[in-house]
């Protein structure tokens, strides 16, 4: 058994003398693991950093074996994101969510194709403003929920059928509601940021935090909760970092006036 394909490194952990067990995501093979001989060595460790885009090769005698995994670096996402805390948080969250939520060896081509351009742009001059990638990443989490069978219905109001003025989502049903219906229950509903309904809508840190809170609720309840697993710590850290961006700056401390008495 053998395959070769572009892949995203999701995780790599040392194993034995200089080896590593790596997990990658490909379009046709899905989340797939393998033994990387020498993967923890000085020469190869940089290739197997989470988030890197590689050309992967997998071989095994039988299809159900762990098999051996090799790869050549195509794009050093991990190194490019290293100097940007927000980019690194986004990269870590994406790899952790994909690595822990997706079933092993089950193809999810839309998820691979959706995540690939986000990681390819992290840390590059084109994406010097990393926050601009957050709306795409949050939409990717929505797509992940859909692919796993937990899709949200953000197309119309659950009560009135209206397709305009949708402002909140029910945390129980995952269906959107309009402002009029939401008003009496605002404190029990999840805000629906406009950019999730309109790709052209402007957005900022408060919207991104609301989007991460929305997808995070259903990731915790459905994608991870049904398997009795917590949301990955890296995903929680991304939410905390974005929430900090959305928080109003603290006022400067008051400085007492100079003593001008004679």
């Amino acid at each position: 058994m053998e395959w070769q394909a572009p892949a995203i490194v999701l995780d790599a952990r040392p194993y034995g003398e200089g080896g590593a067990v790596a997990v990658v995501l490909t379009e046709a093979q899905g989340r797939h693991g393998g033994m990387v001989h020498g993967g923890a060595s000085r020469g190869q460790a940089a290739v197997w950093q989470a988030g890197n885009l590689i050309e992967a090769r997998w071989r095994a005698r039988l299809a159900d074996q762990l098999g051996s995994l090799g790869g050549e670096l195509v794009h050093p996402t991990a190194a490019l994101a290293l100097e940007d805390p927000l980019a690194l948080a986004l990269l870590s969250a994406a790899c952790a969510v994909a690595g822990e939520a997706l079933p092993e060896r089950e193809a999810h081509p839309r998820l691979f194709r959706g995540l690939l351009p986000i990681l390819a742009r992290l840390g590059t001059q084109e994406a010097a403003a990393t926050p601009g990638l957050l709306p795409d990443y949050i939409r990717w989490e929505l797509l992940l929920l859909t692919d796993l069978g937990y899709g949200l219905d953000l197309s119309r109001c659950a009560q009135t059928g209206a397709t305009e003025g949708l402002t909140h989502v029910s945390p129980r049903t995952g269906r959107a509601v309009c402002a009029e219906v939401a008003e009496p229950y605002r404190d029990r509903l999840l805000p629906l940021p406009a950019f999730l309904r309109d790709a052209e809508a402007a957005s900022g840190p408060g919207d991104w935090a609301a989007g991460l809170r929305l997808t995070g609720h259903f990731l915790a309840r459905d994608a991870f909760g049904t398997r009795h697993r917590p949301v990955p710590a890296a995903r929680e850290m991304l939410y905390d970092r974005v929430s900090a961006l959305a928080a109003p700056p603290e006022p400067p401390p008051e400085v007492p006036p100079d003593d001008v008495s004679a």
Side-chain angles (χ1 to χ4, degrees):
M1 302 295 297
E2 182 175 354
W3 56 259
Q4 179 171 337
I8 299 167
V9 179
L10 299 180
D11 188 31
R13 302 185 182 186
Y15 184 84
E17 300 255 349
V21 174
V23 178
V24 299
L25 178 66
T26 74
E27 184 172 6
Q29 311 298 331
R31 181 174 69 86
H32 205 293
M35 174 68 70
V36 183
H37 299 287
S41 66
R42 182 177 299 178
Q44 289 198 56
V47 175
W48 299 98
Q49 296 297 308
N52 280 352
L53 311 181
I54 67 170
E55 184 69 18
R57 299 180 302 277
W58 179 84
R59 295 180 183 178
R61 191 170 62 85
L62 300 174
D64 59 354
Q65 291 180 322
L66 177 63
S68 63
L69 190 61
E72 296 178 3
L73 184 63
V74 174
H75 183 74
T77 316
L80 292 172
L82 198 57
E83 300 300 320
D84 182 343
L86 182 59
L88 190 58
L90 194 160
L91 175 65
S92 300
C95 291
V97 169
E100 297 187 36
L102 296 179
E104 188 175 8
R105 301 190 182 188
E106 181 178 292
H108 288 275
R110 294 195 304 169
L111 292 178
F112 175 79
R113 293 194 298 265
L115 186 56
L116 191 63
I118 296 174
L119 299 187
R121 291 162 55 201
L122 271 180
T124 64
Q125 280 192 331
E126 176 191 352
T130 300
L133 294 175
L134 284 166
D136 290 337
Y137 173 71
I138 295 166
R139 293 187 193 99
W140 180 82
E141 287 193 341
L142 283 176
L143 182 61
L144 181 141
L145 287 165
T146 298
D147 264 28
L148 294 179
Y150 307 116
L152 310 187
D153 182 0
L154 308 181
S155 61
R156 62 186 65 250
C157 177
Q159 293 291 324
T160 67
T163 58
E164 300 294 332
L166 305 177
T167 60
H168 290 77
V169 176
S170 165
R172 184 178 63 85
T173 66
R175 300 182 66 186
V177 293
C178 62
E180 181 181 354
V181 173
E183 185 57 37
Y185 313 101
R186 289 175 66 91
D187 58 339
R188 287 182 274 171
L189 299 173
L190 296 166
L192 173 60
F195 74 85
L196 291 181
R197 291 275 298 131
D198 179 4
E200 302 300 321
S203 62
D207 302 299
W208 306 328
L212 288 170
R213 180 187 172 200
L214 174 65
T215 53
H217 170 81
F218 293 100
L219 285 172
R221 190 190 73 177
D222 299 324
F224 294 102
T226 55
R227 299 162 61 195
H228 306 289
R229 301 182 64 176
V231 173
R235 173 54 169 77
E236 300 283 18
M237 290 175 65
L238 175 64
Y239 175 72
D240 291 343
R241 184 170 289 279
V242 174
S243 296
L245 291 177
E250 294 185 6
E254 292 187 9
V255 178
D258 294 334
D259 186 356
V260 294
S261 58

